[in-house]
Amino acid sequence: MNLAIVLQARVGSTRYPGKALADICGKTLMERVLFRLEQACGGPQVLALPDTAENDPLERMGLARGWRVCRGSEPDVLSRYAKAIRRFELDRVVRATADNPLVDPQIVRRVCELIRDHECVQPVNGPPGSAVEGAAARALLAADRDAQDPFEREHVFPYIYRHPELFPRVTVESEWPRAERYRLTVDTAEDIERTRR
């Protein structure tokens, strides 16, 4: 079975432009994400980047660490995943996003384990920014073929979650106590400051 973590990333951001290259204690946010995922899954995986020139630094960063790179549409992230699936002949995908420098390695490993035997794996109850999610390549390719809603195309998994009759899923419960107290994702400059602290 060909399973890979596919990390979606971009330099552009509506709420915090350039955040992927923002400094977090001597390393960029992107480097923090790459390192965390490498530690969780045992090595480099796949980067899904927009095909615009401003994202070239992210490609160089990934290639220098041994990550495979697939580039495609910036707004249509779902199509980027479908392209990566076809290019690298993936059977299972674990989706990660580059605004989560504090992703929980235990959740990453658990999703990687479960997706081998299930169609879809959805983490629940964890702090924002702590998790990844998984799907069979077949499910993501079907979503890419059928999803019309721009929200479904930008966020990759909503079409799958909206059709449980087609894509049965299992959930992964967070072990974080009082998870609602925490915010681990980075959308704003305030989030970056919190992450540095």
Side-chain angles (χ1 to χ4, degrees), residues 113-188:
E113 290 168 6
L114 286 171
I115 197 56
R116 295 179 181 278
D117 299 314
H118 298 279
E119 188 80 1
C120 179
V121 179
Q122 180 184 19
V124 294
N125 301 331
S130 66
V132 296
E133 53 198 343
R138 181 198 75 80
L140 285 164
L141 292 175
D144 180 55
R145 182 190 66 224
D146 297 333
Q148 301 297 320
D149 183 340
F151 181 83
E152 294 174 341
R153 304 212 62 88
E154 179 185 356
H155 296 283
V156 183
F157 270 66
Y159 181 86
I160 292 172
Y161 293 151
R162 289 171 176 173
H163 295 278
E165 74 285 1
L166 300 176
F167 313 110
R169 67 180 178 263
V170 296
T171 58
V172 175
E173 296 282 341
S174 171
E175 295 182 7
W176 284 67
R178 296 182 62 192
E180 71 280 357
R181 295 184 302 170
Y182 303 99
R183 178 177 168 80
L184 305 180
T185 195
V186 173
D187 280 325
T188 65

Side-chain angles (χ1 to χ4, degrees), residues 60-97:
R60 290 193 293 272
M61 196 181 300
L63 291 174
R65 300 176 76 100
W67 285 63
R68 294 170 287 172
V69 176
C70 182
R71 299 185 71 163
S73 168
E74 181 153 2
D76 190 349
V77 186
L78 179 55
S79 73
R80 262 190 267 161
Y81 274 79
K83 189 173 181 181
I85 287 167
R86 294 184 180 102
R87 175 170 297 173
F88 300 117
E89 299 180 342
L90 303 177
D91 300 308
R92 294 287 192 275
V93 168
V94 173
R95 174 183 177 249
T97 62

